[in-house]
Structure formats: C-alpha cells, structure tokens
Amino acid sequence: MLKNGLILIILVAFSMIFVTLFFSFDGNTELSKTGAFYAQNAEKTGAANIVTAVVVTYRGLDTLGEVVILFLTAAIIGFFLKLTKTEIDEGSRLAKLR
C-alpha cells in the first residue's frame, strides 16, 4: 500500500511539473543572431532552402564527421554480427555434442 501511495505521489508531482511547463511555454518570437545571419544569407549559398544551406554550407564539415561516425558504427556492428557458414555449422555441431 505504501509503495502504491509513493508511486501516486510521484506521478502527481510529475504531472504538475509538466502541466506548469506546458502552460508557461510561449516559444521564441525572434531569431538569435546566428539564426538571423543564416536566414539572411541562405540565398547567397545557392542551396534549395535554408535547412540545406545550414547543413551543407555552414555546417558541412561537422555533418561529414557525423556521417563518417555513423558509417563506421554500422560497419563495426555488421563485422561483429557476421557469421560465416562454417561458424554456424560448428555452433550447431557443438550444440549436438552437449
């Protein structure tokens, strides 16, 4: 009973916090200095839209680094998860011996 009461108190507290945050949020009405610079100079890059201008032109090297990290992570996971036919056969043979 005490455990259920404690859980209920925690849920009510979190609910109050989230409701307060939800109703007090008004959002930004102005761009920051960096955002205003990107918005004003996006046409000069020749990109199709502002998002492409920021990701490719202004943050291109950073984006390239993130892509390389994601590729290497996927390649390493694939390397460790790869099983050859002989490894599968040996595993089933060992399972039969046990």
Side-chain angles (χ1 to χ4, degrees):
M1 182 67 181
L2 182 62
K3 184 177 179 181
N4 291 338
L6 184 60
I7 291 173
L8 181 65
I9 290 171
I10 291 172
L11 286 176
V12 168
F14 275 120
S15 299
M16 289 175 52
I17 290 170
F18 286 127
V19 167
T20 304
L21 288 173
F22 179 77
F23 287 114
S24 66
F25 179 76
D26 59 355
N28 292 336
T29 56
E30 298 178 1
L31 292 174
S32 65
K33 289 181 182 180
T34 307
F37 174 79
Y38 288 159
Q40 291 169 357
N41 296 315
E43 293 178 2
K44 296 177 184 177
T45 63
N49 54 38
I50 294 176
V51 174
T52 306
V54 171
V55 171
V56 175
T57 306
Y58 297 116
R59 303 282 313 254
L61 190 59
D62 183 43
T63 303
L64 178 65
E66 292 170 0
V67 170
V68 168
I69 289 171
L70 289 173
F71 173 76
L72 288 175
T73 303
I76 290 169
I77 289 172
F79 174 76
F80 282 116
L81 292 179
K82 180 183 174 190
L83 293 175
T84 61
K85 184 168 176 61
T86 57
E87 291 173 341
I88 293 171
D89 290 340
E90 289 176 6
S92 62
R93 203 175 324 135
L94 288 175
K96 289 179 184 176
L97 293 175
R98 291 182 184 176

